[in-house]
Amino acid sequence: MLEVKNINKRLGDFSLREISFSIAEGEYFVLLGRSGSGKTQLLELLAGIGYPDSGRIVMDGSDITSLRPHIRNIGMVFQDYALFPHMTAFDNIAYPLRIRKLPAGEIENRVSGIAARMNISYILHRRIGTLSGGELQRTALARTLVTSPRLLLLDEPLASIDAALKDDIISLLRSLRKSGQTIIHVTHDYSEALGLASRVGVIHNGRIIQTGTPSYVFNHPVNRFVARYTGIRNIFRATVETGDGVLRCITEHGLSLIAEPGDYPGEGLIVIRNRNVRLSLPGTGGGMDNSFRGEVVEIISTPAGADIEIRAGECIFASVVGDDPILKQLSEGSEVRIGIRPADIIYLKPASDDYIS
């Protein structure tokens, strides 16, 4: 459906570099990146708000790289909505149809239909300044969708929404995904991707450094930056030693962990997902290859339970769900036993450590 082929664009001191990816029909693709990573600039190139210095943008087999925005059949919803404050919601939604000189009756029908779909029929007569954040977002979406774009671009669609309204907008975006709308959604928040994306890309310093399903990227980060971005905090430099058929990863501070056999170089990074650090009380939890004691440094409440920082040579972080009975038995300063399965140790080669968070 969409192919982006080796896009390069200099923007002052910043550059988008060698951007290549493809989007399938009906896919919900989330592009993750921190502020200043280039994700909004890339959306603007796709929408035709500026043109790349080199590379091609192809949609449905046709090169659209140099086409003007209004003939690309791509709709973009801006982070600040870009609605006309002096107009009503109806007139904002109708604006792109009037530019196309559609008959008044067709405009009325289209606006009424998309407003019903976005559940904003009751605000069509109101001016933009009287609308809530959620109503503004729905109006901006309606104005874009009323033209039936082949591709919908969303720039941080949840960033300006109150927490109480986010669930409503997320439900709306899920319904768009189920309807078959092809979407590229950019955000800095990995949790948004987990609930919406069929596939994600991670952009950093103007380059896309990994793509895949949210689960794959979370479970197989290509480097330290992606691991940290997806919430993994257990990332250690380590040397690898083999002997007696056992492969050991020894961290900078002397923590020794048995890993599954593999063709690893002598030095690299080991990554352990927070949720794969198993905790038990002293005197229990033995029998695991990587089982050792630590001291609880801090317990931080989270919506799902708690993140626990433990000192055990290295600082190790564990994520514990709220109904885990061990939560009631731990306190700061208490002793705890840590268990890590060899299969849960991810090894990254030194060449993968090009991007440091």
Side-chain angles (χ1 to χ4, degrees):
M1 190 271 184
L2 179 77
E3 294 179 87
V4 178
K5 301 182 178 183
N6 200 32
I7 289 293
N8 293 275
K9 176 69 175 180
R10 178 167 289 279
L11 300 154
D13 294 333
F14 177 79
S15 294
L16 291 170
R17 296 172 290 156
E18 300 173 357
I19 300 285
S20 295
F21 63 95
S22 60
I23 306 294
E25 181 83 24
E27 188 169 24
Y28 198 122
F29 183 80
V30 174
L31 186 63
L32 293 157
R34 293 177 175 173
S35 178
S37 63
K39 55 189 188 296
T40 296
Q41 290 86 348
L42 177 56
L43 276 197
E44 291 177 349
L45 292 182
L46 298 179
I49 307 169
Y51 304 99
D53 298 330
S54 61
R56 299 170 63 214
I57 302 169
V58 178
M59 190 163 74
D60 295 329
S62 298
D63 190 330
I64 64 168
T65 311
S66 301
L67 293 185
R68 297 174 66 184
H70 69 281
I71 54 177
R72 291 190 179 210
N73 202 14
I74 294 175
M76 182 168 175
V77 179
F78 297 88
Q79 183 176 350
D80 63 358
Y81 313 128
L83 296 167
F84 300 114
H86 63 287
M87 293 184 182
T88 63
F90 180 97
D91 288 333
N92 268 277
I93 298 168
Y95 182 80
L97 303 179
R98 288 174 174 151
I99 290 294
R100 290 166 170 79
K101 302 186 184 303
L102 269 63
E106 184 175 350
I107 292 174
E108 178 78 31
N109 290 336
R110 284 206 192 187
V111 172
S112 298
I114 197 65
R117 185 179 174 192
M118 297 292 108
N119 195 26
I120 53 171
S121 299
Y122 66 98
I123 64 164
L124 288 178
H125 65 287
R126 289 167 51 187
R127 291 189 181 273
I128 295 304
T130 69
L131 305 183
S132 69
E135 291 167 340
L136 289 169
Q137 183 64 274
R138 288 173 181 267
T139 302
L141 273 167
R143 185 181 63 179
T144 303
L145 291 170
V146 77
T147 60
S148 302
R150 288 279 287 128
L151 175 64
L152 176 63
L153 308 177
L154 304 175
D155 187 9
E156 296 275 7
L158 302 176
S160 302
I161 303 295
D162 292 340
L165 299 173
K166 280 190 176 181
D167 286 345
D168 288 342
I169 299 300
I170 288 171
S171 294
L172 175 58
L173 296 178
R174 284 180 179 151
S175 71
L176 289 175
R177 181 188 64 187
K178 290 177 182 177
S179 73
Q181 176 68 56
T182 307
I183 298 171
I184 299 178
H185 168 152
V186 305
T187 180
H188 64 278
D189 188 347
Y190 188 75
S191 64
E192 287 182 27
L194 290 175
L196 289 166
S198 48
R199 201 159 53 91
V200 301
V202 181
I203 187 170
H204 183 56
N205 287 341
R207 293 178 62 191
I208 292 181
I209 55 178
Q210 186 170 6
T211 60
T213 65
S215 175
Y216 183 85
V217 171
F218 181 72
N219 289 304
H220 302 89
V222 296
N223 54 43
R224 178 197 294 266
F225 178 84
V226 177
R228 288 299 301 270
Y229 201 83
T230 58
I232 300 172
R233 300 188 67 183
N234 300 306
I235 306 170
F236 312 112
R237 294 191 180 276
T239 57
V240 176
E241 297 180 355
T242 57
D244 300 324
V246 174
L247 188 148
R248 289 186 178 275
C249 299
I250 302 172
T251 70
E252 291 177 296
H253 296 98
L255 183 63
S256 178
L257 299 169
I258 296 174
E260 288 196 324
D263 181 20
Y264 304 143
E267 295 183 355
L269 295 176
I270 59 171
V271 175
I272 305 160
R273 294 182 294 276
N274 305 16
R275 69 184 187 193
N276 287 340
V277 176
R278 292 161 169 77
L279 303 182
S280 57
L281 296 177
T284 65
M288 190 175 288
D289 283 330
N290 300 311
S291 182
F292 47 94
R293 293 190 176 192
E295 179 186 340
V296 175
V297 176
E298 189 173 13
I299 300 174
I300 305 167
S301 295
T302 67
D307 286 338
I308 302 175
E309 181 182 352
I310 305 151
R311 186 183 297 111
E314 301 285 354
C315 280
I316 295 177
F317 295 86
S319 294
V320 181
V321 296
D323 59 356
D324 191 324
I326 199 167
L327 267 182
K328 297 179 180 179
Q329 303 176 69
L330 295 181
S331 60
E332 294 178 3
S334 66
E335 192 174 281
V336 66
R337 179 164 286 278
I338 298 168
I340 300 168
R341 298 186 309 169
D344 290 331
I345 295 175
I346 301 167
Y347 189 88
L348 302 181
K349 297 178 182 179
S352 296
D353 194 26
D354 296 331
Y355 303 86
I356 307 300
S357 57

